[in-house]
Amino acid sequence: MKKTLIVVIVLAAVVLIARPFFCNSDKKDDKVAEDPKQQPLSISANTDAFNQSFTQLLNAYNSLKDALVASDAEKASAAGLALKAAADSLKVNEITGDTSGVIKETAQAFTGTIAGSAQALAAEKDLKNKRKEFEMIADAMWSLTRTVRYTGQKLYWQYCPMAFDNKGAYWMSFEREIKNPYFGSEMLNCGSVEDSLDYSK
């Protein structure tokens, strides 16, 4: 009986002495898990070549948006062709941190939509039809930017509830200020900021 009691006391003492060491090692592991330096590489860390090509795509898109804000059909056609060229030239293979290939595949699908609609927009004579193609371009551009997590600048997602006979339509903008590409000067400031993206932080 005494021997059993001694063994129990010794075991209890060992547990009490050893416990702080185990607890500290757990805390250290937690700190490692919480340390941002230990986190895996983010998919947003794309190459300079990709970021440059994406900036060109954004600038081409913005030129098209501005042409529609100005209700300038000729400029919109030229901007549409420039946007198609920029979409075709996007360096999707330079996207990094995509081990499964899903991000590249998704990005390729969105650039295909942008290129196709941009070409169709350039061929349209009527501004209303150009604006319908632009709606598809804007949606694809927003989805593409979210997919590749472009870090270059903050972008705004804006909405006009009255576009296309009150169906409503979105567009992406460099600025918070509303300049409506679906109505131009007819209702230049009709719309609201619905969301924004800023992966630079």
Side-chain angles (χ1 to χ4, degrees):
M1 188 75 177
K2 282 183 182 178
K3 281 183 181 178
T4 307
L5 191 61
I6 290 166
V7 169
V8 169
I9 291 167
V10 169
L11 283 173
V14 168
V15 169
L16 285 170
I17 292 165
R19 191 178 170 192
F21 294 104
F22 288 115
C23 289
N24 287 342
S25 67
D26 287 344
K27 282 177 184 173
K28 279 179 187 173
D29 289 343
D30 287 346
K31 280 180 184 174
V32 169
E34 287 169 10
D35 188 348
K37 290 177 185 174
Q38 301 295 322
Q39 294 300 315
L41 203 69
S42 168
I43 59 164
S44 64
N46 296 313
T47 66
D48 287 342
F50 174 81
N51 286 333
Q52 284 170 12
S53 70
F54 199 86
T55 300
Q56 288 172 351
L57 179 68
L58 274 179
N59 288 338
Y61 161 84
N62 197 54
S63 294
L64 173 57
K65 177 189 72 74
D66 287 348
L68 292 174
V69 168
S71 299
D72 190 324
E74 196 175 323
K75 273 189 180 176
S77 292
L81 293 175
L83 179 60
K84 182 194 182 305
D88 288 339
S89 303
L90 186 67
K91 297 185 185 300
V92 173
N93 289 331
E94 296 285 340
I95 294 171
T96 56
D98 179 24
T99 50
S100 66
V102 172
I103 295 166
K104 288 178 186 173
E105 195 177 310
T106 306
Q108 200 75 61
F110 286 131
T111 53
T113 299
I114 293 161
S117 288
Q119 187 166 22
L121 182 149
E124 287 288 353
K125 302 294 182 203
D126 183 63
L127 259 175
K128 187 173 182 181
N129 290 335
K130 285 183 186 295
R131 284 170 167 147
K132 282 179 182 173
E133 292 293 345
F134 175 75
E135 182 190 10
M136 287 187 274
I137 292 167
D139 286 345
M141 280 292 299
W142 182 251
S143 297
L144 176 62
T145 307
R146 292 176 67 187
T147 300
V148 303
R149 299 172 71 87
Y150 174 68
T151 57
Q153 68 183 92
K154 187 171 186 174
L155 297 163
Y156 297 93
W157 190 229
Q158 299 174 336
Y159 178 68
C160 171
M162 297 177 73
F164 307 120
D165 300 320
N166 298 316
K167 181 177 79 71
Y170 291 88
W171 74 95
M172 192 166 71
S173 178
F174 288 5
E175 308 92 21
R176 175 174 280 278
E177 183 187 355
I178 299 293
K179 290 182 182 175
N180 192 317
Y182 298 110
F183 285 105
S185 59
E186 286 179 52
M187 284 193 285
L188 185 62
N189 305 121
C190 175
S192 58
V193 175
E194 296 294 305
D195 201 356
S196 64
L197 292 179
D198 189 358
Y199 294 115
S200 63
K201 294 175 181 177

